[in-house]
Amino acid sequence: MTLAGARIGVVTFPGTLDDRDAARAVRLAGGSAVPLWHGEEDLHGVDAIVLPGGFSYGDYLRAGAIARFSPVMTALVEAANAGMPVLGICNGFQMLTEAHLLPGSMIKNDHLHFVCRDQVLRVENASTAWSSDFRAGQEITIPLKNQDGQYVADERTLDELEGSGRVVFRYVGWNPNGSRRDIAGITNARGNVVGLMPHPEHAVEPGFGPDGAAGPRTGTDGLGFFTSALRSVLATA
């Protein structure tokens, strides 16, 4: 398989906002983006899947609670449990907790306001399918925008995540939503399923991302998420 032959599915739900951005990120990383519809059970032979951000089903009941029961999620959960790389971004992270692919849950930000800013993260685990192109301890900057971004779990679960290296990304500087232990992203035990609240798909192209070392809006730290997944797919092809 070539890099372009790696097929990354991007799922669209009613209320999804960032599916086109995620698909463009896949293409900029060198892969092929495959649109998937929430009402279909067929994953169309993709090698990895992105659950993008937005407000699926208007975030009624809870963010991600209704999307978790979409037909596509049955096949997605089965594929994830078999080892397929799956990335949940913001609303996608909320879906992964609702589907019990990741532990814990999301509640309103502790300040009860929507927040939109460029956010510094520290890479805690560089061995997952979505973080292998980073190095442990590296600090990256990607946009963050959410209202239900406070990650919560009981102390036993948090200790287990910390002890097993399953905290993948942590907020640096300011915790923007009150997430327990400054957690911005976690993984499952296998390392193929990752959820995070900030948006890497908005930091993949010079001119449109956060400020970077080369000047305003030049940050492209988000691209590493997608190149990591493509390498993971190629390594197992």
Side-chain angles (χ1 to χ4, degrees), residues 51 64 73 76 80 86-89 91-103 193-196:
L51 292 174
M73 291 299 289
L76 184 149
V86 176
L87 174 66
I89 303 169
N91 197 211
F93 188 6
Q94 294 154 348
M95 293 177 205
L96 292 176
T97 60
E98 292 289 338
H100 305 297
L101 284 172
L102 294 175
V193 178
V194 170
L196 80 161

Side-chain angles (χ1 to χ4, degrees), residues 11-14 16 38-39 51-52 55-74 76-77 91-92 94-96 98-99:
V11 184
T12 298
F13 298 83
T16 295
H38 73 106
L51 292 174
F55 302 90
S56 59
Y57 296 94
D59 276 355
Y60 292 122
L61 299 181
R62 288 186 310 278
I66 299 177
R68 177 258 180 275
F69 294 101
S70 292
V72 74
M73 291 299 289
T74 300
L76 184 149
V77 169
N91 197 211
Q94 294 154 348
M95 293 177 205
L96 292 176
E98 292 289 338

Side-chain angles (χ1 to χ4, degrees), residues 37-208:
W37 180 240
H38 73 106
E40 288 189 79
E41 297 181 358
D42 189 351
L43 297 181
H44 297 278
V46 298
D47 304 298
I49 295 177
V50 176
L51 292 174
F55 302 90
S56 59
Y57 296 94
D59 276 355
Y60 292 122
L61 299 181
R62 288 186 310 278
I66 299 177
R68 177 258 180 275
F69 294 101
S70 292
V72 74
M73 291 299 289
T74 300
L76 184 149
V77 169
E78 183 177 340
N81 286 331
M84 178 181 287
V86 176
L87 174 66
I89 303 169
C90 196
N91 197 211
F93 188 6
Q94 294 154 348
M95 293 177 205
L96 292 176
T97 60
E98 292 289 338
H100 305 297
L101 284 172
L102 294 175
S105 60
M106 296 293 177
I107 62 175
K108 296 288 184 188
N109 296 342
D110 58 352
H111 45 73
L112 302 181
H113 295 288
F114 186 89
V115 60
C116 181
R117 67 194 302 264
D118 292 342
Q119 178 66 50
V120 179
L121 305 176
R122 182 171 58 250
V123 180
E124 303 284 16
N125 181 343
S127 62
T128 78
W130 298 92
S131 62
S132 61
D133 272 2
F134 300 114
R135 64 181 185 281
Q138 181 180 353
E139 292 190 359
I140 62 175
T141 303
I142 59 177
L144 173 144
K145 49 174 184 169
N146 63 64
Q147 180 168 289
D148 299 86
Q150 182 178 177
Y151 178 73
V152 297
D154 58 53
E155 288 300 311
R156 179 179 178 180
T157 299
L158 293 170
D159 288 343
E160 182 179 343
L161 289 172
E162 299 274 12
S164 57
R166 291 169 57 190
V167 175
V168 186
F169 300 98
R170 208 181 303 267
Y171 297 116
V172 174
W174 178 56
N175 183 333
N177 41 41
S179 290
R180 301 297 183 269
R181 303 189 188 185
D182 298 333
I183 290 174
I186 60 173
T187 185
N188 63 346
R190 195 169 182 165
N192 61 303
V193 178
V194 170
L196 80 161
M197 287 311 296
H199 288 256
E201 77 279 15
H202 295 319
V204 296
E205 192 171 18
F208 302 95

Side-chain angles (χ1 to χ4, degrees), residues 18-39:
D18 300 312
D19 45 349
R20 292 187 179 185
D21 304 80
R24 181 166 178 78
V26 169
R27 291 193 292 271
L28 288 172
S32 298
V34 180
L36 299 177
W37 180 240
H38 73 106

